[in-house]
Amino acid sequence: MIDRFFSYMIDRIQQFIDGLQIDTSRASLGVWIAAINVAIVLLLVGGISISAIGSLRDLADQQGKSRVQLAGAMAREDIRRYSEDALTHVKGVAERQTFQRLLADRRASTVGPYLRRSCNSDAIASCAVFEGGALVAQAGVELPWELIATSAAEQGERFMAVPVGSQYALLGASAQVGGATERRLYVARLLDPRMAQILSERVGTQIQLINYRLFIEDRKVDDFTRLHSAGLSDGRSAVARLDELDLYAASFPIFAVSGEAIAFLEARLPSSDIDASVGGLAKRLLVTAIILAALAVLAGIILGRQVTGPVATLTDAVEKLGHGDFSTSIPFGGTKEVGKLSRTIEDMRNNLVELTGTLRRREAEAQAVLTGIVEGVYAVDKSRVIRYLNPQAAQLLGVQAHEAIGRFCGDVLKPCRDTNGVRPCETNCPILRARFEGSSQVTERLQLTEGPPRITIITSSSPVDDLQVQVIRDETELEGVRRARDSVLVNISHEFRTPLAAQLASIELLRDGFDNMSVDQQKELVLSLERGSVRLQRLIDNLLESVRIESGQLSIRHQAVALAEVVEDAEALVGALLTQRRQRLEVDLPEDLPNVDGDGPRLNQVFVNLLANASKFAPEDSVVRIGAEQTGEFVTSWVEDEGPGVPEIDSNSIFDRFYRSGGQEPEPGGLGLGLWIVKSIVERHGGSIAARRTAEGRTRFEVKLRQTAE
């Protein structure tokens, strides 16, 4: 009825105003705002009345909750006091000489009557005495004392329990009888309706005591169930107004010392006691508020439609425009200010449509260029803070674009400091140089990871609109290739020059002393020529093998190969090197050693390189050993020397290409290809190679190859 009445009144007033043909465009927005303020004042009157009633009810509600919660707290404190009284009582009985004498004489027939007289009070419902864990006598209400004694043993002198099968929870106390530790007296008081009645009279509010076990077993769910559950969750108390029952109720869970829930103390207070005090005032305020609110609503709706209608329409259109929907046209209408604003926004919309199209085309072109180029590109502002980073730059610097944007460029690039510990950002920044010189280019060493620094070339342009673009190009790999090429050329020149010079010297000696030299001297010079030729041949073979491996031309033939034959051929090829250093080769190969699956010439090259390496690093007049054994489906062979080894043996870096030992070598070093070639050939056989120091202090290279299938 009220809704229909309001709708009817609003429509009638709106028809009256429409008949007046009010043109809102003739009035300024200020006039309409003044009218709206009048409506707001009326609304405030009603709002204050409603707020006052609400505040009054809230205060009354808080008062009711506080009263029932205070009553429950007082009742719970009384229960605690009853527990203390029980402890006082049980200690008094246990200390009586008569009781101790009767119990010591084991006169059970007289202990029971004595307990009935001693425990016959309003404070004690039942008592029992135990000796050595066995019940001697009990008096009062029948209780499962064995279960109660177990709970008491867990909690101490004062205890609470909710025995299985008992209708009520209980509190009690226990005391040792005399000096006998095996004799103990227990008293208990039930948390029953009688105690609830006593508590209700003391606190002036209805109190109920609920057995926790029965509460759990009861499947019924009502307002009190939820209240007790909330109190149990809080651990202290819960209070609520139960409107359906017109009650304020508080729940206080009662816990034993062990933390076990025993019972609920429930306090109740009729809500009518509270509501009656505020009902009259609330009715008067409510009537006044309803009248004022009705008038205010009518005035607000009528005036609001005239003023806010065009504004709301304009707001919807502008909101769509703000979300990027430029196809929505801006409506015209409303007050003078609103109409002028609408026309301005429409002009702005047309300009935005044109400008957005142009910007999108240019952005697409710029993104295509920045994404397609190989170099990294990033832009900084006048504070050298990164504002843009293309994917290539992000990949080069090892960061995500969103992580780098907003950070100082030096913190992202991490240029290496100079010898004085100063970063180039402070003394030689290409960005700052470009601001004065128009552009600049510099080579920077960037410490981007834990590895070696990256060599980059950074080209910086002059600033445009507070943005400065830099192009960064990674030169690390190219620089590495250049250094490797130069190093290889130097090593090749050095390694070839040494044996060639020795051979030329031997030839000159032969030529000058051919007529007067002894045969032994001539043989020694020829042997020197042979050794130089073998060394040159080994260097050239390693170079050619390295090229074949890198180009993928190294092919492996799979056939049955006798490891003894491979070792014999390798010994023949490096025998001159061993003889030159007066070294002895010991071969220990089992006769029943199975054949391996592989390429004979390639495996021969493996053992030639390993033997040559062992001869090189082993001292003169030492022993080089070759051995092998069968390990499962593999054959493990090894080459062992008595040399000092290299510091890098544990990291396996000695198998890297162009690796040169960090320590001193007993003779001029090679190209650093021998062990790399060995590792490449072994791995192409499906095997593995490792190096280690043995317990005897020798350097051992172990090669594991798969044996030939039967």
Side-chain angles (χ1 to χ4, degrees), residues 103-104 106 129-136 175-186:
L103 192 59
R106 302 184 181 277
V129 61
F130 281 76
E131 182 174 4
L135 178 64
V136 177
Q176 181 179 318
V177 180
T181 57
E182 72 276 10
R183 297 171 184 170
R184 200 162 192 87
L185 176 63
Y186 297 86

PDB file of all heavy atoms in Angstrom, residues 103-104 106 129-136 175-186:
ATOM      1  N   LEU A 103      40.377 -45.976  57.785  1.00  0.00           N
ATOM      2  CA  LEU A 103      40.893 -46.447  56.502  1.00  0.00           C
ATOM      3  C   LEU A 103      42.126 -47.320  56.691  1.00  0.00           C
ATOM      4  O   LEU A 103      42.320 -48.320  55.994  1.00  0.00           O
ATOM      5  CB  LEU A 103      41.222 -45.258  55.589  1.00  0.00           C
ATOM      6  CG  LEU A 103      41.508 -45.572  54.132  1.00  0.00           C
ATOM      7  CD1 LEU A 103      40.307 -46.272  53.490  1.00  0.00           C
ATOM      8  CD2 LEU A 103      41.828 -44.304  53.370  1.00  0.00           C
ATOM      9  N   ALA A 104      42.945 -46.998  57.727  1.00  0.00           N
ATOM     10  CA  ALA A 104      44.152 -47.793  57.980  1.00  0.00           C
ATOM     11  C   ALA A 104      43.800 -49.164  58.526  1.00  0.00           C
ATOM     12  O   ALA A 104      44.479 -50.159  58.236  1.00  0.00           O
ATOM     13  CB  ALA A 104      45.067 -47.055  58.960  1.00  0.00           C
ATOM     14  N   ARG A 106      41.346 -50.777  57.591  1.00  0.00           N
ATOM     15  CA  ARG A 106      40.690 -51.480  56.487  1.00  0.00           C
ATOM     16  C   ARG A 106      39.293 -51.983  56.895  1.00  0.00           C
ATOM     17  O   ARG A 106      38.880 -53.086  56.575  1.00  0.00           O
ATOM     18  CB  ARG A 106      41.544 -52.653  56.007  1.00  0.00           C
ATOM     19  CG  ARG A 106      42.942 -52.254  55.551  1.00  0.00           C
ATOM     20  CD  ARG A 106      43.703 -53.416  55.010  1.00  0.00           C
ATOM     21  NE  ARG A 106      45.048 -53.000  54.600  1.00  0.00           N
ATOM     22  CZ  ARG A 106      45.342 -52.448  53.437  1.00  0.00           C
ATOM     23  NH1 ARG A 106      44.361 -52.233  52.581  1.00  0.00           N
ATOM     24  NH2 ARG A 106      46.582 -52.113  53.143  1.00  0.00           N
ATOM     25  N   VAL A 129      36.658 -43.043  48.131  1.00  0.00           N
ATOM     26  CA  VAL A 129      38.027 -43.189  48.554  1.00  0.00           C
ATOM     27  C   VAL A 129      38.629 -44.363  47.801  1.00  0.00           C
ATOM     28  O   VAL A 129      37.990 -45.400  47.616  1.00  0.00           O
ATOM     29  CB  VAL A 129      38.125 -43.391  50.081  1.00  0.00           C
ATOM     30  CG1 VAL A 129      37.405 -44.637  50.553  1.00  0.00           C
ATOM     31  CG2 VAL A 129      39.600 -43.440  50.507  1.00  0.00           C
ATOM     32  N   PHE A 130      39.856 -44.184  47.316  1.00  0.00           N
ATOM     33  CA  PHE A 130      40.570 -45.202  46.568  1.00  0.00           C
ATOM     34  C   PHE A 130      41.845 -45.569  47.316  1.00  0.00           C
ATOM     35  O   PHE A 130      42.490 -44.722  47.961  1.00  0.00           O
ATOM     36  CB  PHE A 130      40.947 -44.697  45.170  1.00  0.00           C
ATOM     37  CG  PHE A 130      39.815 -44.734  44.190  1.00  0.00           C
ATOM     38  CD1 PHE A 130      38.797 -43.783  44.238  1.00  0.00           C
ATOM     39  CD2 PHE A 130      39.762 -45.709  43.203  1.00  0.00           C
ATOM     40  CE1 PHE A 130      37.773 -43.798  43.323  1.00  0.00           C
ATOM     41  CE2 PHE A 130      38.731 -45.733  42.293  1.00  0.00           C
ATOM     42  CZ  PHE A 130      37.727 -44.773  42.355  1.00  0.00           C
ATOM     43  N   GLU A 131      42.242 -46.832  47.208  1.00  0.00           N
ATOM     44  CA  GLU A 131      43.508 -47.284  47.767  1.00  0.00           C
ATOM     45  C   GLU A 131      44.193 -48.173  46.724  1.00  0.00           C
ATOM     46  O   GLU A 131      43.637 -49.192  46.311  1.00  0.00           O
ATOM     47  CB  GLU A 131      43.301 -48.048  49.072  1.00  0.00           C
ATOM     48  CG  GLU A 131      44.655 -48.499  49.689  1.00  0.00           C
ATOM     49  CD  GLU A 131      44.458 -49.132  51.051  1.00  0.00           C
ATOM     50  OE1 GLU A 131      43.304 -49.290  51.466  1.00  0.00           O
ATOM     51  OE2 GLU A 131      45.474 -49.455  51.686  1.00  0.00           O
ATOM     52  N   GLY A 132      45.373 -47.754  46.331  1.00  0.00           N
ATOM     53  CA  GLY A 132      46.104 -48.519  45.326  1.00  0.00           C
ATOM     54  C   GLY A 132      45.364 -48.612  44.010  1.00  0.00           C
ATOM     55  O   GLY A 132      45.474 -49.603  43.294  1.00  0.00           O
ATOM     56  N   GLY A 133      44.590 -47.598  43.645  1.00  0.00           N
ATOM     57  CA  GLY A 133      43.847 -47.576  42.388  1.00  0.00           C
ATOM     58  C   GLY A 133      42.540 -48.339  42.451  1.00  0.00           C
ATOM     59  O   GLY A 133      41.807 -48.377  41.462  1.00  0.00           O
ATOM     60  N   ALA A 134      42.185 -48.927  43.613  1.00  0.00           N
ATOM     61  CA  ALA A 134      40.927 -49.679  43.756  1.00  0.00           C
ATOM     62  C   ALA A 134      39.965 -48.890  44.630  1.00  0.00           C
ATOM     63  O   ALA A 134      40.363 -48.255  45.616  1.00  0.00           O
ATOM     64  CB  ALA A 134      41.188 -51.058  44.358  1.00  0.00           C
ATOM     65  N   LEU A 135      38.700 -48.908  44.238  1.00  0.00           N
ATOM     66  CA  LEU A 135      37.660 -48.206  44.991  1.00  0.00           C
ATOM     67  C   LEU A 135      37.407 -48.947  46.302  1.00  0.00           C
ATOM     68  O   LEU A 135      37.053 -50.127  46.312  1.00  0.00           O
ATOM     69  CB  LEU A 135      36.374 -48.110  44.151  1.00  0.00           C
ATOM     70  CG  LEU A 135      35.185 -47.446  44.819  1.00  0.00           C
ATOM     71  CD1 LEU A 135      35.491 -45.971  45.119  1.00  0.00           C
ATOM     72  CD2 LEU A 135      33.944 -47.547  43.927  1.00  0.00           C
ATOM     73  N   VAL A 136      37.525 -48.196  47.448  1.00  0.00           N
ATOM     74  CA  VAL A 136      37.297 -48.791  48.773  1.00  0.00           C
ATOM     75  C   VAL A 136      35.856 -48.575  49.218  1.00  0.00           C
ATOM     76  O   VAL A 136      35.170 -49.507  49.646  1.00  0.00           O
ATOM     77  CB  VAL A 136      38.282 -48.204  49.800  1.00  0.00           C
ATOM     78  CG1 VAL A 136      37.994 -48.759  51.202  1.00  0.00           C
ATOM     79  CG2 VAL A 136      39.710 -48.521  49.397  1.00  0.00           C
ATOM     80  N   ALA A 175      42.333 -35.385  47.448  1.00  0.00           N
ATOM     81  CA  ALA A 175      43.423 -35.127  48.389  1.00  0.00           C
ATOM     82  C   ALA A 175      43.974 -36.454  48.865  1.00  0.00           C
ATOM     83  O   ALA A 175      43.260 -37.469  48.944  1.00  0.00           O
ATOM     84  CB  ALA A 175      42.934 -34.293  49.561  1.00  0.00           C
ATOM     85  N   GLN A 176      45.236 -36.467  49.166  1.00  0.00           N
ATOM     86  CA  GLN A 176      45.900 -37.658  49.694  1.00  0.00           C
ATOM     87  C   GLN A 176      45.510 -37.830  51.159  1.00  0.00           C
ATOM     88  O   GLN A 176      45.485 -36.863  51.939  1.00  0.00           O
ATOM     89  CB  GLN A 176      47.413 -37.492  49.551  1.00  0.00           C
ATOM     90  CG  GLN A 176      48.219 -38.669  50.035  1.00  0.00           C
ATOM     91  CD  GLN A 176      49.700 -38.409  49.814  1.00  0.00           C
ATOM     92  OE1 GLN A 176      50.090 -37.907  48.779  1.00  0.00           O
ATOM     93  NE2 GLN A 176      50.504 -38.735  50.794  1.00  0.00           N
ATOM     94  N   VAL A 177      45.221 -39.057  51.554  1.00  0.00           N
ATOM     95  CA  VAL A 177      44.798 -39.355  52.927  1.00  0.00           C
ATOM     96  C   VAL A 177      46.052 -39.663  53.746  1.00  0.00           C
ATOM     97  O   VAL A 177      46.754 -40.666  53.504  1.00  0.00           O
ATOM     98  CB  VAL A 177      43.817 -40.540  52.956  1.00  0.00           C
ATOM     99  CG1 VAL A 177      43.393 -40.841  54.401  1.00  0.00           C
ATOM    100  CG2 VAL A 177      42.613 -40.242  52.099  1.00  0.00           C
ATOM    101  N   GLY A 178      46.329 -38.776  54.717  1.00  0.00           N
ATOM    102  CA  GLY A 178      47.480 -38.990  55.577  1.00  0.00           C
ATOM    103  C   GLY A 178      48.771 -38.983  54.794  1.00  0.00           C
ATOM    104  O   GLY A 178      48.956 -38.219  53.857  1.00  0.00           O
ATOM    105  N   GLY A 179      49.664 -39.849  55.160  1.00  0.00           N
ATOM    106  CA  GLY A 179      50.948 -39.928  54.452  1.00  0.00           C
ATOM    107  C   GLY A 179      51.009 -41.055  53.466  1.00  0.00           C
ATOM    108  O   GLY A 179      52.055 -41.329  52.890  1.00  0.00           O
ATOM    109  N   ALA A 180      49.887 -41.749  53.266  1.00  0.00           N
ATOM    110  CA  ALA A 180      49.871 -42.899  52.341  1.00  0.00           C
ATOM    111  C   ALA A 180      49.591 -42.411  50.935  1.00  0.00           C
ATOM    112  O   ALA A 180      48.510 -41.903  50.664  1.00  0.00           O
ATOM    113  CB  ALA A 180      48.820 -43.917  52.791  1.00  0.00           C
ATOM    114  N   THR A 181      50.553 -42.545  50.046  1.00  0.00           N
ATOM    115  CA  THR A 181      50.384 -42.032  48.697  1.00  0.00           C
ATOM    116  C   THR A 181      49.393 -42.845  47.892  1.00  0.00           C
ATOM    117  O   THR A 181      48.859 -42.365  46.900  1.00  0.00           O
ATOM    118  CB  THR A 181      51.739 -42.032  47.966  1.00  0.00           C
ATOM    119  OG1 THR A 181      52.256 -43.357  47.973  1.00  0.00           O
ATOM    120  CG2 THR A 181      52.721 -41.109  48.656  1.00  0.00           C
ATOM    121  N   GLU A 182      49.131 -44.125  48.327  1.00  0.00           N
ATOM    122  CA  GLU A 182      48.211 -44.938  47.548  1.00  0.00           C
ATOM    123  C   GLU A 182      46.759 -44.707  47.930  1.00  0.00           C
ATOM    124  O   GLU A 182      45.851 -45.255  47.307  1.00  0.00           O
ATOM    125  CB  GLU A 182      48.570 -46.429  47.718  1.00  0.00           C
ATOM    126  CG  GLU A 182      48.243 -47.018  49.084  1.00  0.00           C
ATOM    127  CD  GLU A 182      49.364 -46.744  50.107  1.00  0.00           C
ATOM    128  OE1 GLU A 182      50.263 -45.937  49.764  1.00  0.00           O
ATOM    129  OE2 GLU A 182      49.345 -47.307  51.204  1.00  0.00           O
ATOM    130  N   ARG A 183      46.492 -43.933  48.992  1.00  0.00           N
ATOM    131  CA  ARG A 183      45.125 -43.663  49.435  1.00  0.00           C
ATOM    132  C   ARG A 183      44.753 -42.236  49.056  1.00  0.00           C
ATOM    133  O   ARG A 183      45.507 -41.304  49.338  1.00  0.00           O
ATOM    134  CB  ARG A 183      45.012 -43.839  50.955  1.00  0.00           C
ATOM    135  CG  ARG A 183      45.299 -45.258  51.421  1.00  0.00           C
ATOM    136  CD  ARG A 183      45.384 -45.316  52.921  1.00  0.00           C
ATOM    137  NE  ARG A 183      45.741 -46.643  53.392  1.00  0.00           N
ATOM    138  CZ  ARG A 183      46.076 -46.917  54.658  1.00  0.00           C
ATOM    139  NH1 ARG A 183      46.090 -45.944  55.556  1.00  0.00           N
ATOM    140  NH2 ARG A 183      46.380 -48.146  55.006  1.00  0.00           N
ATOM    141  N   ARG A 184      43.595 -42.099  48.419  1.00  0.00           N
ATOM    142  CA  ARG A 184      43.174 -40.775  47.949  1.00  0.00           C
ATOM    143  C   ARG A 184      41.669 -40.651  48.079  1.00  0.00           C
ATOM    144  O   ARG A 184      40.924 -41.589  47.769  1.00  0.00           O
ATOM    145  CB  ARG A 184      43.604 -40.549  46.495  1.00  0.00           C
ATOM    146  CG  ARG A 184      43.641 -39.081  46.122  1.00  0.00           C
ATOM    147  CD  ARG A 184      44.455 -38.845  44.887  1.00  0.00           C
ATOM    148  NE  ARG A 184      44.715 -37.432  44.684  1.00  0.00           N
ATOM    149  CZ  ARG A 184      45.728 -36.772  45.198  1.00  0.00           C
ATOM    150  NH1 ARG A 184      46.601 -37.421  45.945  1.00  0.00           N
ATOM    151  NH2 ARG A 184      45.880 -35.480  44.962  1.00  0.00           N
ATOM    152  N   LEU A 185      41.231 -39.502  48.556  1.00  0.00           N
ATOM    153  CA  LEU A 185      39.806 -39.198  48.759  1.00  0.00           C
ATOM    154  C   LEU A 185      39.341 -38.252  47.663  1.00  0.00           C
ATOM    155  O   LEU A 185      40.034 -37.260  47.359  1.00  0.00           O
ATOM    156  CB  LEU A 185      39.585 -38.554  50.137  1.00  0.00           C
ATOM    157  CG  LEU A 185      38.153 -38.106  50.452  1.00  0.00           C
ATOM    158  CD1 LEU A 185      37.206 -39.315  50.484  1.00  0.00           C
ATOM    159  CD2 LEU A 185      38.105 -37.352  51.789  1.00  0.00           C
ATOM    160  N   TYR A 186      38.197 -38.529  47.050  1.00  0.00           N
ATOM    161  CA  TYR A 186      37.631 -37.718  45.983  1.00  0.00           C
ATOM    162  C   TYR A 186      36.256 -37.226  46.411  1.00  0.00           C
ATOM    163  O   TYR A 186      35.476 -37.984  47.027  1.00  0.00           O
ATOM    164  CB  TYR A 186      37.478 -38.518  44.692  1.00  0.00           C
ATOM    165  CG  TYR A 186      38.781 -39.009  44.116  1.00  0.00           C
ATOM    166  CD1 TYR A 186      39.349 -40.203  44.527  1.00  0.00           C
ATOM    167  CD2 TYR A 186      39.450 -38.263  43.141  1.00  0.00           C
ATOM    168  CE1 TYR A 186      40.539 -40.654  44.010  1.00  0.00           C
ATOM    169  CE2 TYR A 186      40.635 -38.707  42.611  1.00  0.00           C
ATOM    170  CZ  TYR A 186      41.191 -39.901  43.038  1.00  0.00           C
ATOM    171  OH  TYR A 186      42.369 -40.332  42.506  1.00  0.00           O
TER     172      TYR A 186
END
